[in-house]
Amino acid sequence: MIGKTGGDDYVTAATISATEWAAHLMKLYVTLRSPYARLARILVLEKGLENRVEIIQAKTRTPGSPYYQINPSGRVPFLVDDAGIGMEDSQLICAYLDSLDGKPRFHDPLRASDWDYLRLEYAARSLCEGICVWGREMGRPESERSPTVLAHEVARAKRMADVFEDRVTDPLMQGAPCMAHLILAVALDHAHKSGSGDLTNGRPRLATWMRSISDLPSMQRTALP
């Protein structure tokens, strides 16, 4: 089921054409190398939303890209819901996707005031942000890169990895995955695949944790190209 028409009946594949069906799909705009877009793609898979969300590769950082008519900021991910309303930011989009069935698994309302958990989640976000800064800097022409920025982000990532080497044994980082798990895993994988380094090296507890969560089908299906 997709949603409601003007009456009270739900729209199904049996009652509308393929073109009309496609028009009712939510549209998730991504780039395949964005860790933030990857989080949204993981939520689509984890929540079984493949038949409700069309994933579209956006052309970003390109003058005159048609994507800017859809999302003027040009950032990803960007979700257009089945009512045609757009929303930006991975935190918002992941929470929205998780809530669609009324049974959020990755955004437990009880954690909204669980400061121990929130400290872990936002530390993981900080690690991910720093790795992205490093990647954007490396994306510049070599003559325009800042060695100071690059060295700062490498050092920051190592310090944060040391923090998580101690914290992954915390009960909050065990058990069923939640957003803190997904953000940390995506950040570590992005660092490794983007060339800034394997942050699990020399950190055996973090390496063991990462191997376990990397087995998730949603992690494997969204692996960096």
Side-chain angles (χ1 to χ4, degrees), residues 27-111:
K27 294 175 172 57
L28 178 64
Y29 293 87
V30 305
T31 59
L32 298 184
R33 294 195 65 81
S34 164
Y36 298 110
R38 185 181 183 188
L39 287 168
R41 291 163 59 211
I42 287 172
L43 262 289
V44 169
L45 295 172
E46 288 286 342
K47 298 295 291 193
L49 295 170
E50 298 99 314
N51 67 338
R52 293 187 61 184
V53 180
E54 179 184 6
I55 294 178
I56 301 169
Q57 291 190 52
K59 194 168 282 189
T60 63
R61 300 180 183 273
T62 303
S65 171
Y67 177 55
Y68 301 156
Q69 299 300 312
I70 299 165
N71 180 18
S73 83
R75 293 175 176 168
V76 291
F78 188 76
L79 180 72
V80 178
D81 69 15
D82 48 17
I85 300 172
M87 63 184 80
E88 184 181 310
D89 189 86
S90 61
Q91 283 183 258
L92 177 64
I93 291 169
C94 288
Y96 177 77
L97 295 173
D98 197 14
S99 74
L100 287 174
D101 60 0
K103 301 173 183 176
R105 288 196 288 121
F106 300 92
H107 299 80
D108 186 338
L110 296 177
R111 290 201 177 109

Side-chain angles (χ1 to χ4, degrees), residues 85-163:
I85 300 172
M87 63 184 80
E88 184 181 310
D89 189 86
S90 61
Q91 283 183 258
L92 177 64
I93 291 169
C94 288
Y96 177 77
L97 295 173
D98 197 14
S99 74
L100 287 174
D101 60 0
K103 301 173 183 176
R105 288 196 288 121
F106 300 92
H107 299 80
D108 186 338
L110 296 177
R111 290 201 177 109
S113 58
D114 183 341
W115 301 112
D116 286 340
Y117 167 77
L118 290 172
R119 280 191 285 268
L120 285 172
E121 179 177 323
Y122 281 86
R125 289 189 186 280
S126 179
L127 172 61
C128 190
E129 180 183 346
I131 291 165
C132 287
V133 170
W134 183 92
R136 285 193 291 270
E137 195 66 24
M138 286 297 291
R140 298 174 184 270
E142 188 171 0
S143 61
E144 297 179 10
R145 296 173 192 163
S146 167
T148 301
V149 169
L150 292 171
H152 175 76
E153 295 304 341
V154 167
R156 188 219 305 252
K158 290 179 179 177
R159 293 195 304 270
M160 295 301 295
D162 287 341
V163 169

Side-chain angles (χ1 to χ4, degrees), residues 111 168-178 181 209 212-213 216:
R111 290 201 177 109
V168 289
T169 57
D170 189 304
L172 288 168
M173 293 301 293
Q174 303 297 315
C178 55
H181 299 71
W209 181 90
S212 175
I213 198 164
L216 286 174

